[in-house]
Each structure stands twice: as C-alpha cells, then as structure tokens.
PDB file of all heavy atoms in Angstrom:
ATOM      1  N   PHE A   1      -5.400  -6.607  -6.609  1.00 97.00           N
ATOM      2  CA  PHE A   1      -4.665  -6.664  -7.900  1.00 97.00           C
ATOM      3  C   PHE A   1      -5.040  -5.755  -8.902  1.00 97.00           C
ATOM      4  O   PHE A   1      -4.244  -5.264  -9.640  1.00 97.00           O
ATOM      5  CB  PHE A   1      -4.772  -8.236  -8.417  1.00 97.00           C
ATOM      6  CG  PHE A   1      -4.119  -8.439  -9.682  1.00 97.00           C
ATOM      7  CD1 PHE A   1      -2.711  -8.509  -9.731  1.00 97.00           C
ATOM      8  CD2 PHE A   1      -4.774  -8.598 -10.892  1.00 97.00           C
ATOM      9  CE1 PHE A   1      -1.954  -8.701 -10.921  1.00 97.00           C
ATOM     10  CE2 PHE A   1      -4.142  -8.909 -12.024  1.00 97.00           C
ATOM     11  CZ  PHE A   1      -2.753  -8.906 -12.133  1.00 97.00           C
ATOM     12  N   GLU A   2      -6.483  -5.523  -8.975  1.00 95.00           N
ATOM     13  CA  GLU A   2      -6.901  -4.561 -10.028  1.00 95.00           C
ATOM     14  C   GLU A   2      -6.310  -3.104  -9.830  1.00 95.00           C
ATOM     15  O   GLU A   2      -6.020  -2.449 -10.812  1.00 95.00           O
ATOM     16  CB  GLU A   2      -8.369  -4.561 -10.047  1.00 95.00           C
ATOM     17  CG  GLU A   2      -9.033  -5.780 -10.692  1.00 95.00           C
ATOM     18  CD  GLU A   2      -8.622  -5.951 -12.095  1.00 95.00           C
ATOM     19  OE1 GLU A   2      -8.734  -5.128 -12.909  1.00 95.00           O
ATOM     20  OE2 GLU A   2      -8.262  -7.156 -12.560  1.00 95.00           O
ATOM     21  N   GLU A   3      -6.226  -2.706  -8.595  1.00 96.00           N
ATOM     22  CA  GLU A   3      -5.801  -1.406  -8.276  1.00 96.00           C
ATOM     23  C   GLU A   3      -4.287  -1.361  -8.503  1.00 96.00           C
ATOM     24  O   GLU A   3      -3.720  -0.403  -9.064  1.00 96.00           O
ATOM     25  CB  GLU A   3      -6.028  -1.087  -6.762  1.00 96.00           C
ATOM     26  CG  GLU A   3      -5.782   0.436  -6.483  1.00 96.00           C
ATOM     27  CD  GLU A   3      -6.284   0.826  -5.137  1.00 96.00           C
ATOM     28  OE1 GLU A   3      -6.832  -0.076  -4.390  1.00 96.00           O
ATOM     29  OE2 GLU A   3      -5.984   1.937  -4.817  1.00 96.00           O
ATOM     30  N   PHE A   4      -3.581  -2.507  -8.315  1.00 98.00           N
ATOM     31  CA  PHE A   4      -2.233  -2.531  -8.563  1.00 98.00           C
ATOM     32  C   PHE A   4      -1.910  -2.476 -10.077  1.00 98.00           C
ATOM     33  O   PHE A   4      -1.129  -1.772 -10.500  1.00 98.00           O
ATOM     34  CB  PHE A   4      -1.608  -3.844  -7.983  1.00 98.00           C
ATOM     35  CG  PHE A   4      -0.254  -4.289  -8.579  1.00 98.00           C
ATOM     36  CD1 PHE A   4       0.966  -3.683  -7.979  1.00 98.00           C
ATOM     37  CD2 PHE A   4      -0.148  -5.241  -9.495  1.00 98.00           C
ATOM     38  CE1 PHE A   4       2.180  -4.071  -8.570  1.00 98.00           C
ATOM     39  CE2 PHE A   4       1.137  -5.622  -9.989  1.00 98.00           C
ATOM     40  CZ  PHE A   4       2.357  -5.057  -9.461  1.00 98.00           C
ATOM     41  N   LYS A   5      -2.711  -3.243 -10.763  1.00 98.00           N
ATOM     42  CA  LYS A   5      -2.678  -3.166 -12.351  1.00 98.00           C
ATOM     43  C   LYS A   5      -2.838  -1.760 -12.854  1.00 98.00           C
ATOM     44  O   LYS A   5      -2.078  -1.267 -13.659  1.00 98.00           O
ATOM     45  CB  LYS A   5      -3.747  -4.085 -12.888  1.00 98.00           C
ATOM     46  CG  LYS A   5      -3.741  -4.097 -14.370  1.00 98.00           C
ATOM     47  CD  LYS A   5      -4.822  -5.098 -14.829  1.00 98.00           C
ATOM     48  CE  LYS A   5      -5.029  -5.192 -16.334  1.00 98.00           C
ATOM     49  NZ  LYS A   5      -5.980  -6.148 -16.837  1.00 98.00           N
ATOM     50  N   GLU A   6      -3.865  -1.122 -12.344  1.00 97.00           N
ATOM     51  CA  GLU A   6      -4.158   0.349 -12.772  1.00 97.00           C
ATOM     52  C   GLU A   6      -2.982   1.304 -12.410  1.00 97.00           C
ATOM     53  O   GLU A   6      -2.523   2.038 -13.234  1.00 97.00           O
ATOM     54  CB  GLU A   6      -5.407   0.767 -12.131  1.00 97.00           C
ATOM     55  CG  GLU A   6      -5.781   2.331 -12.505  1.00 97.00           C
ATOM     56  CD  GLU A   6      -7.081   2.700 -11.773  1.00 97.00           C
ATOM     57  OE1 GLU A   6      -7.843   1.945 -11.166  1.00 97.00           O
ATOM     58  OE2 GLU A   6      -7.287   3.904 -11.928  1.00 97.00           O
ATOM     59  N   ASN A   7      -2.475   1.156 -11.154  1.00 97.00           N
ATOM     60  CA  ASN A   7      -1.465   2.050 -10.698  1.00 97.00           C
ATOM     61  C   ASN A   7       0.007   1.833 -11.493  1.00 97.00           C
ATOM     62  O   ASN A   7       0.584   2.725 -11.823  1.00 97.00           O
ATOM     63  CB  ASN A   7      -1.231   1.855  -9.178  1.00 97.00           C
ATOM     64  CG  ASN A   7      -2.296   2.375  -8.412  1.00 97.00           C
ATOM     65  OD1 ASN A   7      -2.988   3.339  -8.814  1.00 97.00           O
ATOM     66  ND2 ASN A   7      -2.452   2.034  -7.210  1.00 97.00           N
ATOM     67  N   ILE A   8       0.178   0.492 -11.667  1.00 98.00           N
ATOM     68  CA  ILE A   8       1.521   0.333 -12.345  1.00 98.00           C
ATOM     69  C   ILE A   8       1.537   0.658 -13.779  1.00 98.00           C
ATOM     70  O   ILE A   8       2.590   1.153 -14.325  1.00 98.00           O
ATOM     71  CB  ILE A   8       1.916  -1.155 -12.009  1.00 98.00           C
ATOM     72  CG1 ILE A   8       3.501  -1.360 -12.280  1.00 98.00           C
ATOM     73  CG2 ILE A   8       1.167  -2.174 -12.928  1.00 98.00           C
ATOM     74  CD1 ILE A   8       4.004  -2.685 -11.822  1.00 98.00           C
ATOM     75  N   LEU A   9       0.398   0.511 -14.474  1.00 98.00           N
ATOM     76  CA  LEU A   9       0.301   0.759 -15.847  1.00 98.00           C
ATOM     77  C   LEU A   9       0.368   2.328 -15.954  1.00 98.00           C
ATOM     78  O   LEU A   9       0.802   2.830 -17.056  1.00 98.00           O
ATOM     79  CB  LEU A   9      -0.977   0.183 -16.523  1.00 98.00           C
ATOM     80  CG  LEU A   9      -0.957  -1.310 -16.773  1.00 98.00           C
ATOM     81  CD1 LEU A   9      -2.328  -1.711 -17.263  1.00 98.00           C
ATOM     82  CD2 LEU A   9       0.154  -1.521 -17.824  1.00 98.00           C
ATOM     83  N   LYS A  10      -0.181   3.126 -15.042  1.00 96.00           N
ATOM     84  CA  LYS A  10      -0.176   4.562 -15.158  1.00 96.00           C
ATOM     85  C   LYS A  10       1.071   5.220 -14.584  1.00 96.00           C
ATOM     86  O   LYS A  10       1.284   6.369 -14.639  1.00 96.00           O
ATOM     87  CB  LYS A  10      -1.394   5.114 -14.423  1.00 96.00           C
ATOM     88  CG  LYS A  10      -2.725   4.841 -15.065  1.00 96.00           C
ATOM     89  CD  LYS A  10      -3.923   5.518 -14.326  1.00 96.00           C
ATOM     90  CE  LYS A  10      -5.178   5.182 -15.001  1.00 96.00           C
ATOM     91  NZ  LYS A  10      -6.373   5.817 -14.291  1.00 96.00           N
ATOM     92  N   GLY A  11       2.002   4.238 -13.990  1.00 94.00           N
ATOM     93  CA  GLY A  11       3.231   4.806 -13.461  1.00 94.00           C
ATOM     94  C   GLY A  11       3.010   5.676 -12.323  1.00 94.00           C
ATOM     95  O   GLY A  11       3.729   6.612 -11.966  1.00 94.00           O
ATOM     96  N   LYS A  12       2.005   5.406 -11.421  1.00 91.00           N
ATOM     97  CA  LYS A  12       1.688   6.275 -10.136  1.00 91.00           C
ATOM     98  C   LYS A  12       2.777   5.948  -9.165  1.00 91.00           C
ATOM     99  O   LYS A  12       3.290   4.797  -9.073  1.00 91.00           O
ATOM    100  CB  LYS A  12       0.358   5.976  -9.744  1.00 91.00           C
ATOM    101  CG  LYS A  12      -0.873   6.369 -10.502  1.00 91.00           C
ATOM    102  CD  LYS A  12      -2.169   6.215  -9.834  1.00 91.00           C
ATOM    103  CE  LYS A  12      -3.264   6.789 -10.585  1.00 91.00           C
ATOM    104  NZ  LYS A  12      -4.605   6.769  -9.973  1.00 91.00           N
ATOM    105  N   ASN A  13       3.013   6.854  -8.367  1.00 85.00           N
ATOM    106  CA  ASN A  13       3.995   6.818  -7.199  1.00 85.00           C
ATOM    107  C   ASN A  13       3.298   5.984  -6.179  1.00 85.00           C
ATOM    108  O   ASN A  13       2.249   6.331  -5.560  1.00 85.00           O
ATOM    109  CB  ASN A  13       4.260   8.206  -6.666  1.00 85.00           C
ATOM    110  CG  ASN A  13       5.278   8.114  -5.644  1.00 85.00           C
ATOM    111  OD1 ASN A  13       5.958   6.975  -5.355  1.00 85.00           O
ATOM    112  ND2 ASN A  13       5.624   9.153  -4.952  1.00 85.00           N
ATOM    113  N   MET A  14       3.775   4.797  -5.811  1.00 92.00           N
ATOM    114  CA  MET A  14       3.153   3.924  -4.795  1.00 92.00           C
ATOM    115  C   MET A  14       3.991   3.984  -3.435  1.00 92.00           C
ATOM    116  O   MET A  14       3.806   3.099  -2.648  1.00 92.00           O
ATOM    117  CB  MET A  14       3.048   2.502  -5.347  1.00 92.00           C
ATOM    118  CG  MET A  14       1.922   2.441  -6.368  1.00 92.00           C
ATOM    119  SD  MET A  14       1.677   0.749  -6.984  1.00 92.00           S
ATOM    120  CE  MET A  14       2.606   0.806  -8.501  1.00 92.00           C
ATOM    121  N   PHE A  15       4.914   4.976  -3.394  1.00 90.00           N
ATOM    122  CA  PHE A  15       5.780   5.020  -2.166  1.00 90.00           C
ATOM    123  C   PHE A  15       5.093   6.052  -1.150  1.00 90.00           C
ATOM    124  O   PHE A  15       4.438   6.952  -1.573  1.00 90.00           O
ATOM    125  CB  PHE A  15       7.172   5.371  -2.476  1.00 90.00           C
ATOM    126  CG  PHE A  15       7.958   4.365  -3.269  1.00 90.00           C
ATOM    127  CD1 PHE A  15       8.056   4.413  -4.615  1.00 90.00           C
ATOM    128  CD2 PHE A  15       8.641   3.371  -2.520  1.00 90.00           C
ATOM    129  CE1 PHE A  15       8.674   3.410  -5.306  1.00 90.00           C
ATOM    130  CE2 PHE A  15       9.221   2.419  -3.271  1.00 90.00           C
ATOM    131  CZ  PHE A  15       9.336   2.374  -4.559  1.00 90.00           C
ATOM    132  N   SER A  16       5.445   5.761   0.134  1.00 87.00           N
ATOM    133  CA  SER A  16       5.071   6.832   1.160  1.00 87.00           C
ATOM    134  C   SER A  16       6.301   7.220   1.990  1.00 87.00           C
ATOM    135  O   SER A  16       7.274   6.410   2.131  1.00 87.00           O
ATOM    136  CB  SER A  16       4.118   6.142   2.185  1.00 87.00           C
ATOM    137  OG  SER A  16       2.949   5.653   1.419  1.00 87.00           O
ATOM    138  N   LYS A  17       6.324   8.391   2.453  1.00 82.00           N
ATOM    139  CA  LYS A  17       7.465   8.943   3.241  1.00 82.00           C
ATOM    140  C   LYS A  17       7.402   8.259   4.695  1.00 82.00           C
ATOM    141  O   LYS A  17       6.380   8.106   5.267  1.00 82.00           O
ATOM    142  CB  LYS A  17       7.455  10.393   3.372  1.00 82.00           C
ATOM    143  CG  LYS A  17       7.831  11.116   2.153  1.00 82.00           C
ATOM    144  CD  LYS A  17       7.998  12.629   2.310  1.00 82.00           C
ATOM    145  CE  LYS A  17       8.296  13.408   1.111  1.00 82.00           C
ATOM    146  NZ  LYS A  17       8.493  14.763   1.160  1.00 82.00           N
ATOM    147  N   VAL A  18       8.590   7.987   5.147  1.00 76.00           N
ATOM    148  CA  VAL A  18       8.759   7.357   6.523  1.00 76.00           C
ATOM    149  C   VAL A  18       9.884   8.073   7.273  1.00 76.00           C
ATOM    150  O   VAL A  18      10.952   8.244   6.674  1.00 76.00           O
ATOM    151  CB  VAL A  18       9.169   5.796   6.442  1.00 76.00           C
ATOM    152  CG1 VAL A  18       9.312   5.246   7.810  1.00 76.00           C
ATOM    153  CG2 VAL A  18       7.928   5.096   5.682  1.00 76.00           C
ATOM    154  N   ASP A  19       9.593   8.550   8.466  1.00 74.00           N
ATOM    155  CA  ASP A  19      10.651   9.142   9.310  1.00 74.00           C
ATOM    156  C   ASP A  19      11.379   8.035   9.979  1.00 74.00           C
ATOM    157  O   ASP A  19      10.826   7.182  10.650  1.00 74.00           O
ATOM    158  CB  ASP A  19       9.965  10.077  10.283  1.00 74.00           C
ATOM    159  CG  ASP A  19       9.471  11.278   9.612  1.00 74.00           C
ATOM    160  OD1 ASP A  19      10.019  11.744   8.546  1.00 74.00           O
ATOM    161  OD2 ASP A  19       8.381  11.842  10.098  1.00 74.00           O
ATOM    162  N   ILE A  20      12.715   8.039  10.003  1.00 68.00           N
ATOM    163  CA  ILE A  20      13.614   7.149  10.597  1.00 68.00           C
ATOM    164  C   ILE A  20      14.582   7.898  11.459  1.00 68.00           C
ATOM    165  O   ILE A  20      14.662   9.095  11.335  1.00 68.00           O
ATOM    166  CB  ILE A  20      14.312   6.190   9.747  1.00 68.00           C
ATOM    167  CG1 ILE A  20      15.204   6.928   8.765  1.00 68.00           C
ATOM    168  CG2 ILE A  20      13.305   5.286   9.015  1.00 68.00           C
ATOM    169  CD1 ILE A  20      15.955   6.105   7.793  1.00 68.00           C
ATOM    170  N   PRO A  21      15.246   7.381  12.480  1.00 66.00           N
ATOM    171  CA  PRO A  21      16.224   8.084  13.397  1.00 66.00           C
ATOM    172  C   PRO A  21      17.178   8.922  12.682  1.00 66.00           C
ATOM    173  O   PRO A  21      17.495  10.010  13.190  1.00 66.00           O
ATOM    174  CB  PRO A  21      16.911   6.988  14.109  1.00 66.00           C
ATOM    175  CG  PRO A  21      15.889   5.854  14.240  1.00 66.00           C
ATOM    176  CD  PRO A  21      15.183   5.940  12.792  1.00 66.00           C
ATOM    177  N   SER A  22      17.634   8.527  11.504  1.00 61.00           N
ATOM    178  CA  SER A  22      18.732   9.378  10.804  1.00 61.00           C
ATOM    179  C   SER A  22      18.223  10.204   9.726  1.00 61.00           C
ATOM    180  O   SER A  22      18.930  10.754   8.879  1.00 61.00           O
ATOM    181  CB  SER A  22      19.744   8.476  10.240  1.00 61.00           C
ATOM    182  OG  SER A  22      19.146   7.506   9.367  1.00 61.00           O
ATOM    183  N   GLY A  23      16.880  10.341   9.638  1.00 63.00           N
ATOM    184  CA  GLY A  23      16.276  11.173   8.551  1.00 63.00           C
ATOM    185  C   GLY A  23      15.010  10.683   8.025  1.00 63.00           C
ATOM    186  O   GLY A  23      14.195  10.149   8.831  1.00 63.00           O
ATOM    187  N   THR A  24      14.808  10.861   6.835  1.00 61.00           N
ATOM    188  CA  THR A  24      13.515  10.450   6.048  1.00 61.00           C
ATOM    189  C   THR A  24      13.797   9.549   4.870  1.00 61.00           C
ATOM    190  O   THR A  24      14.774   9.914   4.143  1.00 61.00           O
ATOM    191  CB  THR A  24      12.694  11.728   5.735  1.00 61.00           C
ATOM    192  OG1 THR A  24      12.337  12.515   6.734  1.00 61.00           O
ATOM    193  CG2 THR A  24      11.403  11.285   5.060  1.00 61.00           C
ATOM    194  N   THR A  25      13.027   8.515   4.798  1.00 75.00           N
ATOM    195  CA  THR A  25      13.272   7.672   3.718  1.00 75.00           C
ATOM    196  C   THR A  25      11.823   7.470   3.063  1.00 75.00           C
ATOM    197  O   THR A  25      10.807   8.095   3.601  1.00 75.00           O
ATOM    198  CB  THR A  25      13.911   6.402   4.022  1.00 75.00           C
ATOM    199  OG1 THR A  25      14.160   5.680   2.824  1.00 75.00           O
ATOM    200  CG2 THR A  25      13.162   5.548   4.938  1.00 75.00           C
ATOM    201  N   VAL A  26      11.709   6.530   2.050  1.00 82.00           N
ATOM    202  CA  VAL A  26      10.438   6.151   1.641  1.00 82.00           C
ATOM    203  C   VAL A  26      10.329   4.660   1.627  1.00 82.00           C
ATOM    204  O   VAL A  26      11.270   3.951   1.630  1.00 82.00           O
ATOM    205  CB  VAL A  26      10.215   6.696   0.165  1.00 82.00           C
ATOM    206  CG1 VAL A  26      10.159   8.223   0.178  1.00 82.00           C
ATOM    207  CG2 VAL A  26      11.358   6.256  -0.717  1.00 82.00           C
ATOM    208  N   LYS A  27       9.066   4.145   1.680  1.00 85.00           N
ATOM    209  CA  LYS A  27       8.728   2.737   1.530  1.00 85.00           C
ATOM    210  C   LYS A  27       7.493   2.526   0.920  1.00 85.00           C
ATOM    211  O   LYS A  27       6.665   3.450   0.762  1.00 85.00           O
ATOM    212  CB  LYS A  27       8.842   2.154   2.948  1.00 85.00           C
ATOM    213  CG  LYS A  27       7.558   2.312   3.841  1.00 85.00           C
ATOM    214  CD  LYS A  27       7.684   1.402   5.100  1.00 85.00           C
ATOM    215  CE  LYS A  27       6.409   1.537   5.858  1.00 85.00           C
ATOM    216  NZ  LYS A  27       6.409   0.586   7.069  1.00 85.00           N
ATOM    217  N   GLY A  28       7.160   1.318   0.370  1.00 91.00           N
ATOM    218  CA  GLY A  28       5.919   0.986  -0.086  1.00 91.00           C
ATOM    219  C   GLY A  28       5.133   0.387   0.890  1.00 91.00           C
ATOM    220  O   GLY A  28       5.388  -0.630   1.496  1.00 91.00           O
ATOM    221  N   SER A  29       4.010   0.982   1.277  1.00 90.00           N
ATOM    222  CA  SER A  29       3.205   0.566   2.397  1.00 90.00           C
ATOM    223  C   SER A  29       1.803   0.064   2.028  1.00 90.00           C
ATOM    224  O   SER A  29       1.176   0.825   1.178  1.00 90.00           O
ATOM    225  CB  SER A  29       2.968   1.726   3.422  1.00 90.00           C
ATOM    226  OG  SER A  29       4.109   2.154   4.032  1.00 90.00           O
ATOM    227  N   ILE A  30       1.314  -1.026   2.586  1.00 92.00           N
ATOM    228  CA  ILE A  30      -0.060  -1.429   2.383  1.00 92.00           C
ATOM    229  C   ILE A  30      -0.935  -0.636   2.948  1.00 92.00           C
ATOM    230  O   ILE A  30      -0.725  -0.190   4.202  1.00 92.00           O
ATOM    231  CB  ILE A  30      -0.227  -3.010   2.784  1.00 92.00           C
ATOM    232  CG1 ILE A  30       0.581  -3.815   1.868  1.00 92.00           C
ATOM    233  CG2 ILE A  30      -1.631  -3.359   2.826  1.00 92.00           C
ATOM    234  CD1 ILE A  30       0.498  -5.446   2.228  1.00 92.00           C
ATOM    235  N   LYS A  31      -2.088  -0.142   2.390  1.00 87.00           N
ATOM    236  CA  LYS A  31      -3.052   0.768   2.963  1.00 87.00           C
ATOM    237  C   LYS A  31      -3.826   0.320   4.139  1.00 87.00           C
ATOM    238  O   LYS A  31      -3.983   1.049   5.135  1.00 87.00           O
ATOM    239  CB  LYS A  31      -3.900   1.212   1.845  1.00 87.00           C
ATOM    240  CG  LYS A  31      -3.267   2.051   0.808  1.00 87.00           C
ATOM    241  CD  LYS A  31      -4.360   2.843  -0.205  1.00 87.00           C
ATOM    242  CE  LYS A  31      -5.052   1.924  -1.027  1.00 87.00           C
ATOM    243  NZ  LYS A  31      -5.919   2.636  -1.852  1.00 87.00           N
ATOM    244  N   THR A  32      -4.403  -0.910   4.049  1.00 85.00           N
ATOM    245  CA  THR A  32      -5.318  -1.330   5.031  1.00 85.00           C
ATOM    246  C   THR A  32      -4.796  -2.656   5.734  1.00 85.00           C
ATOM    247  O   THR A  32      -4.803  -3.681   4.904  1.00 85.00           O
ATOM    248  CB  THR A  32      -6.727  -1.562   4.510  1.00 85.00           C
ATOM    249  OG1 THR A  32      -7.171  -0.381   3.786  1.00 85.00           O
ATOM    250  CG2 THR A  32      -7.655  -1.967   5.459  1.00 85.00           C
ATOM    251  N   ILE A  33      -4.569  -2.748   7.018  1.00 86.00           N
ATOM    252  CA  ILE A  33      -4.021  -3.996   7.631  1.00 86.00           C
ATOM    253  C   ILE A  33      -4.871  -4.165   8.858  1.00 86.00           C
ATOM    254  O   ILE A  33      -4.657  -5.250   9.592  1.00 86.00           O
ATOM    255  CB  ILE A  33      -2.588  -3.813   7.939  1.00 86.00           C
ATOM    256  CG1 ILE A  33      -2.324  -2.634   8.901  1.00 86.00           C
ATOM    257  CG2 ILE A  33      -1.750  -3.621   6.731  1.00 86.00           C
ATOM    258  CD1 ILE A  33      -0.954  -2.668   9.538  1.00 86.00           C
ATOM    259  N   ASP A  34      -5.787  -3.288   9.260  1.00 83.00           N
ATOM    260  CA  ASP A  34      -6.361  -3.392  10.628  1.00 83.00           C
ATOM    261  C   ASP A  34      -7.828  -4.026  10.602  1.00 83.00           C
ATOM    262  O   ASP A  34      -8.552  -3.868  11.487  1.00 83.00           O
ATOM    263  CB  ASP A  34      -6.431  -2.021  11.178  1.00 83.00           C
ATOM    264  CG  ASP A  34      -7.212  -0.945  10.391  1.00 83.00           C
ATOM    265  OD1 ASP A  34      -7.502  -1.255   9.248  1.00 83.00           O
ATOM    266  OD2 ASP A  34      -7.519   0.135  10.999  1.00 83.00           O
ATOM    267  N   ARG A  35      -8.110  -4.690   9.402  1.00 87.00           N
ATOM    268  CA  ARG A  35      -9.497  -5.284   9.339  1.00 87.00           C
ATOM    269  C   ARG A  35      -9.358  -6.818   9.135  1.00 87.00           C
ATOM    270  O   ARG A  35      -8.538  -7.168   8.333  1.00 87.00           O
ATOM    271  CB  ARG A  35     -10.272  -4.735   8.205  1.00 87.00           C
ATOM    272  CG  ARG A  35     -10.466  -3.179   8.411  1.00 87.00           C
ATOM    273  CD  ARG A  35     -11.050  -2.674   7.054  1.00 87.00           C
ATOM    274  NE  ARG A  35     -11.029  -1.121   7.093  1.00 87.00           N
ATOM    275  CZ  ARG A  35     -11.258  -0.393   6.007  1.00 87.00           C
ATOM    276  NH1 ARG A  35     -11.737  -1.009   4.873  1.00 87.00           N
ATOM    277  NH2 ARG A  35     -11.276   0.752   6.148  1.00 87.00           N
ATOM    278  N   PHE A  36      -9.970  -7.590   9.778  1.00 91.00           N
ATOM    279  CA  PHE A  36     -10.105  -9.075   9.583  1.00 91.00           C
ATOM    280  C   PHE A  36     -11.384  -9.596   9.952  1.00 91.00           C
ATOM    281  O   PHE A  36     -11.678  -9.530  11.240  1.00 91.00           O
ATOM    282  CB  PHE A  36      -8.827  -9.660  10.328  1.00 91.00           C
ATOM    283  CG  PHE A  36      -8.781 -11.157  10.123  1.00 91.00           C
ATOM    284  CD1 PHE A  36      -8.557 -11.628   8.904  1.00 91.00           C
ATOM    285  CD2 PHE A  36      -8.831 -12.102  11.086  1.00 91.00           C
ATOM    286  CE1 PHE A  36      -8.283 -13.056   8.605  1.00 91.00           C
ATOM    287  CE2 PHE A  36      -8.738 -13.472  10.988  1.00 91.00           C
ATOM    288  CZ  PHE A  36      -8.427 -13.874   9.713  1.00 91.00           C
ATOM    289  N   ASP A  37     -12.016 -10.360   9.134  1.00 92.00           N
ATOM    290  CA  ASP A  37     -13.266 -10.967   9.422  1.00 92.00           C
ATOM    291  C   ASP A  37     -13.135 -12.406   9.975  1.00 92.00           C
ATOM    292  O   ASP A  37     -13.188 -13.310   9.231  1.00 92.00           O
ATOM    293  CB  ASP A  37     -14.141 -10.984   8.237  1.00 92.00           C
ATOM    294  CG  ASP A  37     -15.557 -11.585   8.446  1.00 92.00           C
ATOM    295  OD1 ASP A  37     -15.882 -11.803   9.634  1.00 92.00           O
ATOM    296  OD2 ASP A  37     -16.472 -11.513   7.561  1.00 92.00           O
ATOM    297  N   HIS A  38     -12.605 -12.508  11.327  1.00 91.00           N
ATOM    298  CA  HIS A  38     -12.207 -13.714  11.739  1.00 91.00           C
ATOM    299  C   HIS A  38     -13.305 -14.875  11.875  1.00 91.00           C
ATOM    300  O   HIS A  38     -12.924 -16.067  11.647  1.00 91.00           O
ATOM    301  CB  HIS A  38     -11.483 -13.515  13.177  1.00 91.00           C
ATOM    302  CG  HIS A  38     -12.409 -13.046  14.262  1.00 91.00           C
ATOM    303  ND1 HIS A  38     -12.816 -11.776  14.257  1.00 91.00           N
ATOM    304  CD2 HIS A  38     -13.150 -13.690  15.137  1.00 91.00           C
ATOM    305  CE1 HIS A  38     -13.616 -11.575  15.314  1.00 91.00           C
ATOM    306  NE2 HIS A  38     -13.884 -12.746  15.813  1.00 91.00           N
ATOM    307  N   THR A  39     -14.496 -14.549  11.991  1.00 92.00           N
ATOM    308  CA  THR A  39     -15.447 -15.525  12.021  1.00 92.00           C
ATOM    309  C   THR A  39     -15.686 -16.232  10.675  1.00 92.00           C
ATOM    310  O   THR A  39     -16.101 -17.385  10.703  1.00 92.00           O
ATOM    311  CB  THR A  39     -16.833 -14.929  12.574  1.00 92.00           C
ATOM    312  OG1 THR A  39     -17.170 -13.877  11.693  1.00 92.00           O
ATOM    313  CG2 THR A  39     -16.648 -14.299  13.935  1.00 92.00           C
ATOM    314  N   PHE A  40     -15.442 -15.545   9.598  1.00 92.00           N
ATOM    315  CA  PHE A  40     -15.492 -16.075   8.314  1.00 92.00           C
ATOM    316  C   PHE A  40     -14.544 -17.351   8.117  1.00 92.00           C
ATOM    317  O   PHE A  40     -14.858 -18.290   7.509  1.00 92.00           O
ATOM    318  CB  PHE A  40     -15.164 -15.057   7.228  1.00 92.00           C
ATOM    319  CG  PHE A  40     -15.350 -15.625   5.874  1.00 92.00           C
ATOM    320  CD1 PHE A  40     -16.601 -15.875   5.247  1.00 92.00           C
ATOM    321  CD2 PHE A  40     -14.213 -15.919   5.062  1.00 92.00           C
ATOM    322  CE1 PHE A  40     -16.727 -16.390   3.975  1.00 92.00           C
ATOM    323  CE2 PHE A  40     -14.267 -16.358   3.737  1.00 92.00           C
ATOM    324  CZ  PHE A  40     -15.557 -16.620   3.220  1.00 92.00           C
TER     325      PHE A  40
END
C-alpha cells in the first residue's frame, strides 16, 4: 500500500506492455507472485 500511495501521488505509470495475438496492449501487473511462506 505504501508503494501504491507513493506511485499514485506522483502520477507514475503503473502499466506494463503485453503482447496478444492481435497486437500489443497494456495492463496493470503485480510485480511479485511467485513467493509464498506456506509454513507460516
């Protein structure tokens, strides 16, 4: 949330380019999804 707060107040671009079958578009992607401390 703190990074979101900083980015949105500064008007930073939070989109990433994505290639799709009919061309290129953009989407908002979460940076880290491959970590999970399951034993916790």
